[in-house]
Amino acid sequence: MSHGRLRPRRPDEQIVEAFVPTPLPVASPEPAPLPTLPAPAARTGDGVLFDVGRPAAAGRVTARALLRALGWAPGLTLHVDVVTGAILITPAAEGAHVVGTREELPLPAAARHLCGIATCEPVLLAALPRQNRIVVHPSNTITVVLADLHARILAEPS
């Protein structure tokens, strides 16, 4: 065996261009029509902003994004009330509570007890900018509402 230069290999077959036909033009197929989507459901929550928080042992829940959206600064006095199993928070010049320095909302012990809110249990915070209010919904209320919605969803045919 020789270790010198390797000879270039020649292909055994070559294409002769004269014998290769030019491809015929092919018409592009028509694109399939897009599926029709159902109309979007009516939006009933326009203008409502949501967040989820967990009240600390002292009864305060951080709500930075909602407070900033409403323009509520630390030190703003608030009125806190329980309405239909939820905590309603509104600015009030004579309010007994204030927005905390770390942008927390106060959830007084009596209000938490009436709504069944336990420490560190998640709550749904709903800011209503048009009314300049925040509603705090306990997780047990959300569970009932969603269980009913899920039952209706699962009962509907796909």
Side-chain angles (χ1 to χ4, degrees):
M1 191 182 263
S2 168
H3 290 292
R5 281 195 294 176
L6 296 174
R7 293 186 206 171
R9 296 184 71 194
R10 294 185 182 170
D12 296 340
E13 297 179 9
Q14 292 182 351
I15 296 177
V16 179
E17 291 181 24
F19 295 116
V20 178
T22 304
L24 296 174
V26 178
S28 299
E30 287 293 319
L34 293 174
T36 304
L37 298 174
R43 294 182 60 168
T44 58
D46 285 351
V48 180
L49 306 171
F50 295 102
D51 200 356
V52 175
R54 293 178 184 269
R60 293 180 121 4
V61 62
T62 303
R64 285 183 183 93
L66 299 183
L67 292 173
R68 290 175 184 173
L70 293 172
W72 295 8
L76 176 70
T77 55
L78 304 169
H79 177 73
V80 179
D81 199 7
V82 174
V83 179
T84 319
I87 299 174
L88 178 63
I89 304 174
T90 55
E94 308 273 327
H97 306 281
V98 296
V99 173
T101 56
R102 292 186 225 157
E103 298 176 299
E104 315 116 338
L105 289 171
L107 303 180
R112 290 192 320 268
H113 178 72
L114 287 171
C115 295
I117 297 173
T119 300
C120 295
E121 181 178 291
V123 293
L124 178 67
L125 304 155
L128 309 163
R130 290 185 198 147
Q131 290 84 17
N132 199 28
R133 297 177 179 176
I134 292 179
V135 180
V136 181
H137 299 279
S139 61
N140 56 6
T141 300
I142 302 307
T143 301
V144 170
V145 170
L146 287 178
D148 180 53
L149 176 63
H150 293 160
R152 285 186 283 143
I153 289 170
L154 296 173
E156 292 180 8
S158 305

